[in-house]
Amino acid sequence: MGQRQSKQPSPATAVHARATTTPTPTPGEDEQQGSALEAERRGRRRTTTRRAAEGAMDTFFLSHGAPTLSIDDTIAAQGFFKSWLPAAVAGAELPRAILVVSGHWEAAAPTVNVIRGNNDTIHDFYGFPKAMYKLKYPAPGAPDLAMKTKELLEQAGFGPVKEDHSRGLDHGAWVPLMFMYPEANVPVCQLSLQSGRDGAYHYELGRALAPLRDDGVLVLGSGSATHNLRRMGPEGTPVPQWAAEFDGWLQEALLGGRHDDVKRYEEKAPHGRVAHPSPDHFLPLHVALGAAGEGAKAELIHRSWSNASLSYASYRFTTAKN
């Protein structure tokens, strides 16, 4: 959920902005330096045997909805994210590391955050309750994963890939993760979207990341199945027709394997440009879908609504069996 930074915020709607610039970092303590690398290495040793036995990890698209998800337990999606570990949605054991592509980070060139220590928590929203600005999710950085991501993308022709050594986790990453992995003990790296590029481009970018899944890396796209801030309504009001029809079309297209239609959603989907006036919260789905490989199978793992038109539909993508 976000708004282009070129527009002025509306206090009435209390919307929040995408992070397209690097925030001022908060200095970490000296003893934290190197902890992220060590956490990644320990995770790699734990997962090597397990991954060989279980195969590549699934990828996921998560609808993170409104930032108030972080404090409002009446939002149904919060219960879904809390069930992530108990239900072993991504497997019985912790992933070695997590790569998040969020709708709240765009850059002119693909960029990874390379954090040697704990990630800062970016409060990239405004006009919300003060308690939300006190929340922290100090997950270790994943510098090894960042550099492997950069290597894979550049090998696939997506370079040059830039490095950001100060950017922490935006709320598209830390809000769902604070419920999914509440101990903040899994290293996390973020990869930016690329400004001005479409779904087909981001799908191919995701395909370049597929080898990460064999190394115990959980690839998450975090956005929203529908995302039109100007069309939100009061809680408890019916879901508008345009939102329901787009959400239903997306489920049918993904479960039916119509990936090319999803890539061209603006022309193929009903109300595509209404559901997503800007593509930033839909492009993470394309990255996660591409990372699962050609012919990946989709599964709807959650659906709920807030603000009348904001869909929390979330999907698992499983690699097709040969």
Side-chain angles (χ1 to χ4, degrees), residues 17 28 50 75-77 89 135 155 162 176 219 230 247 261 294 319:
R50 174 168 58 88
I75 297 177
V89 176
L135 295 173
Q155 288 176 348
K162 295 185 177 181
V219 178
R230 296 183 181 275
D247 198 56
D261 286 356
E294 196 71 31
T319 301

Side-chain angles (χ1 to χ4, degrees), residues 7 21 32 44 58 69 74 78 82 84 90-91 99-100 131 136 143 150 173 190-191 218 223 260 279 302:
K7 298 179 181 178
T21 58
Q32 291 180 343
R44 184 179 293 112
D58 295 337
L69 175 71
T74 67
Q78 188 186 108
K82 285 180 176 177
W84 189 271
L99 177 66
V100 181
K136 303 291 183 184
K150 176 177 179 176
Q190 280 200 238
L191 167 66
L218 177 60
D260 286 340
H302 176 75

Side-chain angles (χ1 to χ4, degrees), residues 205-314:
L205 184 146
R207 289 188 64 183
L209 302 174
L212 296 175
R213 298 177 300 111
D214 293 313
D215 195 25
V217 173
L218 177 60
V219 178
L220 299 177
S222 180
S224 287
T226 58
H227 191 253
N228 188 330
L229 303 184
R230 296 183 181 275
R231 297 278 187 112
M232 293 191 305
E235 290 294 342
T237 55
V239 176
Q241 182 177 355
W242 65 263
E245 289 183 359
F246 180 88
D247 198 56
W249 173 88
L250 178 61
Q251 179 182 351
E252 292 178 2
L254 287 173
L255 272 59
R258 302 196 329 260
H259 297 173
D260 286 340
D261 286 356
V262 176
K263 296 174 195 175
R264 300 165 60 194
Y265 72 95
E266 290 180 319
E267 58 185 272
K268 293 291 186 178
H271 318 290
R273 294 182 185 274
V274 178
H276 292 279
S278 173
D280 50 282
H281 273 59
F282 202 50
L283 294 177
L285 181 147
H286 295 85
V287 178
L289 180 60
E294 196 71 31
K297 180 181 178 181
E299 175 190 356
L300 177 69
I301 56 175
H302 176 75
R303 171 179 281 136
S304 61
W305 297 84
S306 74
N307 304 96
S309 64
L310 198 60
S311 170
Y312 285 84
S314 298

